[in-house]
Amino acid sequence: MRLLSQTWVVIIMNIRSLPSRFSMSLATIFAVAAVVGVLLFFLAMGNGFRATLEGAGSDAVAVVTREGSQSEINSVLGRDQVNLIANAPGIARDDAGNPIISAELYVIVDGIKESTKTKVNLPLRGLSQAGFDLRDNVKITDGRMFSPGRNEIIVGEGVLKEFGGFSLGKKITFGKTTWEVVGIFTTGGSAFESELWADARSVQDQFRRGNSFQTMRLRLETPGDVSALQAYAKTDPRLNVKIETEANYFSTQGDAIKGYVIFGWGVSIIMGLGALAGALNTMYTSVASRAREIATLRAIGFSNVSAFMGTLVEGILLSLLGGVLGIVATYLFIDGNSAATIGASFTQVVFTFTLSPDLMVQGGWIALAIGVLGGFFPAFRAARLPVVIAFE
Amino acid sequence: MGDLYLIFKNVTRKKLRLFLTLFATFIAFMIYGVLMAFQMALDSGVELSADDRLIVVNKVNFTQPLPLSYVTRIRSVEGVAESAHMSWFGGYYQDPKNFMPMFAVEQDRFLDVYDEIVIPDAQRKAWLQNRQGLLIGESVAKRFGWKVGDRVPISSNIFSRKTGGQTWDFDIEAIYRGADPSFDTSGVYFHFKYFDEARTFGQNQTGFVAVRTEDPALNEQVIKAIDDQFANSFFETETVPEKAFNKAFIEQLGNIALIIQFVVLAAFFIILVIVGNSMALAIRERTNEIAVMKTLGFRSGRIFRMVLGESFLVAILGGGLGVLASVALTRLITENVATLPPLIMKPEIFLSAAGYILLLGFVTGILPALSAWRLNIITALSR
């Protein structure tokens, strides 16, 4: 008990004397804040990108692509294959008893990025009203749905944020055809918002696709269960297709940004070592400047544990302050910003930097690690200071 | 006693502090060197583009095809010296993760359009003669452990073969390197003939055409002539200089350059704060000494120089070691990660690092040096 109260007194003394070592302490706080800030920047990026893709995938919807194509852009499905799959078991049916399916095209067109004025790849998806209805949480937020057979386009909100020239009423030329933007849609921030949607038949005509499609989506009778469909496809030699839930399809697409996250951790850990050097410097200086004070406390009966704890807590406190500063700065300046990068389908994915509580905790951990390491060794020195210093 | 000796003695007075300060500087410059090498590797595609090379793509987007009949029409345009068409294959080896930039090319002309590709003569001949021959870059050979003479199956995520399946067989006939050490050798090239006869769809179409002009001065004129020729056809073209094409391609990744600068800046900021503080502290602790030195007749200017010399010494030592470490690290990365373009520590990196090292020495030393210079003996000794 006495030990606890002693320790408490020493901690309070240390904290009260912080202003006398103001610049050193502030340097440590800033150094840790920079490390945490850099780490959270990359984590928020990876997190936002993944959320965008995983939010696009529904468990109740299956995606059909040609075997081995790995992404929608490389897939091809003929009209006859589409018809065969429409007859497969395990597909949910609408009130009229028809299977709920959507045969779609996915082609890449040029857009212009607002911030750099350079050309980027944007996905143009050809689909029908059925495809629109098949997706959960799609809403037209402005304008109207395209009419079948017309060269009309609806534009995802993500596209509007990052790329120019797609506002409502704008006329856009792809090749020889001019398309008109008649609507803006949202899908609640998922990957589909980085797309342009148009009528499948118009896209087939424009891109000379005859009567072929690229992918199919269908609503499942039992969400998550594609086994009946897969078995059906296996028995028919005409169907060389891969069938998986949309959630599954998109989760593999999310790996595209993994490299950034690994890079972010690597850089942060190396920077963390630099910050640790700074923290150690600060804490050793703190011990040196209070050497007489510590020795005096020891002389009047305080234990060396209290001297140790006092210094350790000071180090941890400084680092955690830095961590909080880094988290707050990231939250204010980075969280919620949108950005775009190229995804697995070779097209732009617009995502939002998302700082979740879980990531903040990770930032807190790295700050704590710097604090504990940066405080431990100097604290050890404080505990072993010879008492005689007090009488010199 | 020489000034240098004094500086050295002062710097090494507190060994632990010196070590920590040096370490922080070391880390910063190591990060700087490696990230700059990354940045330059990213830009190398743009840097190494030939001024007299143009890329002709479908106007809608470069992933859309062009009719094969365009190839001869492009070749006959005034000012075109040579051209070769290329098609993206979507190739990977065994696992989709082992994906490679692979193209079916007009084999007889390809090496004339891309003359920076260096191949031993015998291998060059062998590749041209074998329909299923494969030309691979050094880094590809290293990545998969392939040698000339190996027969390898490569799958495509786009094209299946008429005989069934998506796996194509190739004979490795040639391994190329770049004329420039930072040339990316991750590309894989094979005969268009083999490709076009065996694929199930897309016959008579190609991806894009690489054009060499007779003189870069003719570029504008050639671009206009090509694009005008196909204007209002179903497949309109867009011809761009290779440099612009590569730049746009890299920019599709998003603001990589910006992110790298952001990290470097953050690392530098940390270091500045740590080193600056240590310097200020070291001088504050020696106030008395400096006053005594002045009393002994050391001139203010000399003391100023000595203090500044101290901070320069720390910056040069720590920064220099950091740059050396980044040389070792980039080499290690290039040796072991074949999927990245080669990271080369170019002279520019050393120069800019040297500039920052001197700047760091100056910024961290100037305030303590000034206060030492101004130090009043009376007030200092009466403290």
Side-chain angles (χ1 to χ4, degrees):
Chain A
M1 207 58 237
R2 239 187 71 217
L3 191 65
L4 270 182
S5 62
Q6 275 182 12
T7 306
W8 182 245
V9 168
V10 177
I11 290 174
I12 295 294
M13 275 176 69
N14 280 11
I15 292 170
R16 283 209 173 146
S17 67
L18 274 179
S20 66
R21 299 184 300 281
F22 186 72
S23 74
M24 285 299 275
S25 308
L26 203 63
T28 305
I29 292 174
F30 273 128
V32 175
V35 172
V36 171
V38 166
L39 176 68
L40 290 183
F41 175 91
F42 285 100
L43 293 186
M45 183 169 164
N47 194 23
F49 189 80
R50 202 164 292 122
T52 297
L53 286 166
E54 284 170 7
S58 153
D59 230 7
V61 173
V63 181
V64 184
T65 49
R66 186 178 50 82
E67 184 61 58
S69 55
Q70 292 151 36
S71 69
E72 294 189 74
I73 181 73
N74 297 329
S75 174
V76 181
L77 295 176
R79 177 85 234 172
D80 45 346
Q81 289 175 305
V82 170
N83 293 340
L84 281 170
I85 294 165
N87 296 325
I91 305 177
R93 293 175 181 271
D94 61 15
D95 303 339
N98 299 317
I100 304 175
I101 56 162
S102 164
E104 302 179 356
L105 290 115
Y106 186 95
V107 294
I108 302 182
V109 296
D110 273 345
I112 300 286
K113 188 159 184 160
E114 281 285 16
S115 54
T116 56
K117 297 292 175 225
T118 47
K119 284 203 166 165
V120 287
N121 290 355
L122 294 182
L124 169 63
R125 188 182 290 277
L127 75 178
S128 58
Q129 184 67 43
F132 192 90
D133 298 338
L134 185 93
R135 288 171 170 79
D136 301 320
N137 61 37
V138 215
K139 277 201 303 288
I140 299 276
T141 52
D142 199 359
R144 58 175 174 85
M145 177 69 177
F146 56 76
S147 326
R150 305 264 298 270
N151 290 338
E152 293 176 344
I153 281 188
I154 57 173
V155 175
E157 280 188 344
V159 175
L160 227 49
K161 261 191 285 201
E162 292 285 322
F163 310 107
F166 291 102
S167 45
L168 202 61
K170 269 263 166 44
K171 298 254 196 298
I172 310 159
T173 314
F174 298 132
K176 289 188 62 72
T177 337
T178 305
W179 304 70
E180 190 185 346
V181 178
V182 297
I184 310 292
F185 69 91
T186 175
T187 58
S190 76
F192 292 124
E193 269 184 29
S194 315
E195 298 182 350
L196 312 166
W197 286 2
D199 183 46
R201 200 155 315 138
S202 308
V203 176
Q204 280 176 334
D205 290 347
Q206 169 56 44
F207 292 87
R208 296 218 170 165
R209 295 300 174 94
N211 203 359
S212 77
F213 293 91
Q214 278 168 275
T215 58
M216 243 178 111
R217 276 180 169 69
L218 31 95
R219 190 160 274 286
L220 293 163
E221 249 172 358
T222 6
D225 181 18
V226 287
S227 54
L229 274 158
Q230 283 170 335
Y232 170 86
K234 239 193 204 83
T235 55
D236 195 326
R238 288 165 298 178
L239 287 178
N240 176 26
V241 293
K242 180 177 187 184
I243 302 175
E244 56 189 332
T245 64
E246 199 183 31
N248 197 31
Y249 170 81
F250 275 113
S251 70
T252 51
Q253 302 269 310
D255 292 346
I257 208 155
K258 237 193 209 144
Y260 281 100
V261 177
I262 294 169
F263 175 82
W265 268 110
V267 167
S268 311
I269 285 172
I270 294 173
M271 274 175 72
L273 290 173
L276 178 62
L280 281 167
N281 234 347
T282 305
M283 295 314 299
Y284 274 123
T285 309
S286 158
V287 173
S289 69
R290 288 182 302 109
R292 181 164 294 192
E293 182 185 311
I294 295 168
T296 308
L297 285 172
R298 296 290 315 283
I300 59 173
F302 276 68
S303 74
N304 56 3
V305 173
S306 64
F308 179 88
M309 288 309 291
T311 307
L312 183 63
V313 169
E314 182 187 342
I316 291 175
L317 189 78
L318 287 178
S319 287
L320 285 182
L321 276 175
V324 169
L325 187 67
I327 291 169
V328 169
T330 326
Y331 184 75
L332 288 180
F333 298 113
I334 292 170
D335 186 54
N337 279 349
S338 79
T341 185
I342 200 143
S345 276
F346 220 55
T347 53
Q348 294 288 321
V349 176
V350 180
F351 64 94
T352 306
F353 282 93
T354 319
L355 198 62
S356 62
D358 172 51
L359 297 189
M360 293 184 188
V361 169
Q362 291 186 39
W365 278 118
I366 203 168
L368 188 68
I370 294 172
V372 170
L373 286 171
F376 181 84
F377 299 99
F380 204 67
R381 178 178 287 187
R384 291 183 36 203
L385 273 179
V387 177
V388 76
I389 292 180
F391 304 100
E392 276 171 356
Chain B
M1 279 200 291
D3 284 6
L4 274 179
Y5 180 74
L6 276 176
I7 290 174
F8 176 75
K9 273 293 178 205
N10 273 333
V11 165
T12 52
R13 177 183 306 209
K14 291 214 159 173
K15 295 207 172 38
L16 182 66
R17 181 190 297 161
L18 171 70
F19 170 76
L20 291 173
T21 313
L22 282 177
F23 183 73
T25 320
F26 166 86
I27 291 279
F29 280 94
M30 185 172 82
I31 291 179
Y32 176 78
V34 173
L35 289 188
M36 286 306 283
F38 258 105
Q39 175 88 48
M40 288 197 163
L42 272 179
D43 292 345
S44 71
V46 179
E47 291 287 313
L48 296 173
S49 338
D51 288 337
D52 58 355
R53 203 155 41 216
L54 310 172
I55 308 289
V56 186
V57 296
N58 185 312
K59 192 174 174 178
V60 175
N61 180 267
F62 65 80
T63 57
Q64 301 296 332
L66 288 173
L68 209 52
S69 60
Y70 279 22
V71 176
T72 40
R73 290 172 66 187
I74 289 170
R75 199 163 290 146
S76 61
V77 167
E78 181 113 2
V80 171
E82 187 55 280
S83 70
H85 68 85
M86 299 165 74
S87 306
W88 177 257
F89 184 66
Y92 62 91
Y93 180 59
Q94 289 173 345
D95 182 333
K97 282 197 188 74
N98 303 326
F99 133 106
M100 52 192 115
M102 182 163 172
F103 296 89
V105 300
E106 201 175 353
Q107 65 280 350
D108 305 328
R109 301 174 184 269
F110 171 72
L111 293 172
D112 298 327
V113 175
Y114 289 91
D115 55 1
E116 62 267 61
I117 289 179
V118 182
I119 317 173
D121 270 344
Q123 292 185 9
R124 182 189 185 119
K125 250 198 211 81
W127 179 66
L128 286 171
Q129 275 164 0
N130 182 351
R131 277 168 54 88
Q132 298 191 0
L134 200 63
L135 165 62
I136 63 173
E138 273 177 341
S139 75
V140 184
K142 200 184 315 178
R143 182 174 161 197
F144 299 120
W146 289 343
K147 304 178 299 298
V148 168
D150 289 356
R151 190 164 175 83
V152 293
I154 296 181
S155 313
S156 161
N157 57 24
I158 306 173
F159 298 100
S160 35
R161 293 167 55 214
K162 283 176 183 163
T163 49
Q166 293 172 259
T167 307
W168 300 57
D169 286 318
F170 296 97
D171 301 314
I172 295 175
E173 291 288 6
I175 296 177
Y176 72 86
R177 60 181 181 81
D180 183 296
S182 52
F183 186 77
D184 184 16
T185 55
S186 64
V188 177
Y189 306 98
F190 68 107
H191 291 219
F192 179 75
K193 270 212 171 70
Y194 172 39
F195 172 64
D196 205 36
E197 284 166 16
R199 60 177 163 169
T200 48
F201 68 95
Q203 262 77 9
N204 298 322
Q205 286 189 328
T206 185
F208 60 95
V209 184
V211 171
R212 250 199 131 139
T213 56
E214 279 157 8
D215 183 341
L218 299 174
N219 284 1
E220 284 303 315
Q221 173 196 325
V222 171
I223 287 171
K224 197 171 161 5
I226 294 174
D227 290 345
D228 284 353
Q229 188 175 178
F230 303 116
N232 297 321
S233 71
F234 192 85
F235 293 92
E236 293 192 308
T237 60
E238 178 167 39
T239 309
V240 280
E242 188 185 30
K243 203 177 225 88
F245 185 83
N246 288 348
K247 203 174 164 72
F249 191 82
I250 285 170
E251 295 211 318
Q252 295 236 24
L253 284 169
N255 292 335
I256 300 274
L258 203 75
I259 291 171
I260 289 179
Q261 279 157 2
F262 167 78
V263 174
V264 169
L265 214 76
F268 266 47
F269 171 76
I270 289 188
I271 299 318
L272 193 71
V273 163
I274 291 171
V275 179
N277 254 301
S278 302
M279 278 308 297
L281 196 79
I283 303 305
R284 235 192 338 242
E285 281 177 359
R286 296 208 303 264
T287 306
N288 262 351
E289 256 171 66
I290 292 169
V292 170
M293 282 165 87
K294 282 191 171 183
T295 319
L296 290 174
F298 276 76
R299 290 187 183 284
S300 288
R302 189 174 169 194
I303 289 175
F304 175 83
R305 276 197 304 275
M306 268 164 44
V307 174
L308 207 53
E310 244 177 87
S311 69
F312 272 110
L313 186 66
V314 171
I316 290 168
L317 213 62
L321 288 172
V323 173
L324 281 180
S326 67
V327 173
L329 205 59
T330 47
R331 201 158 284 170
L332 198 75
I333 292 172
T334 302
E335 291 285 309
N336 294 304
V337 190
T339 44
L340 287 173
L343 301 178
I344 312 274
M345 291 291 284
K346 292 192 173 143
E348 295 97 298
I349 302 180
F350 291 110
L351 278 177
S352 61
Y356 283 122
I357 286 172
L358 295 178
L359 188 70
L360 178 76
F362 179 78
V363 170
T364 51
I366 190 69
L367 285 177
L370 276 175
S371 61
W373 189 46
R374 288 207 200 102
L375 190 71
N376 181 316
I377 301 175
I378 312 284
T379 42
L381 290 180
S382 63
R383 258 185 222 168

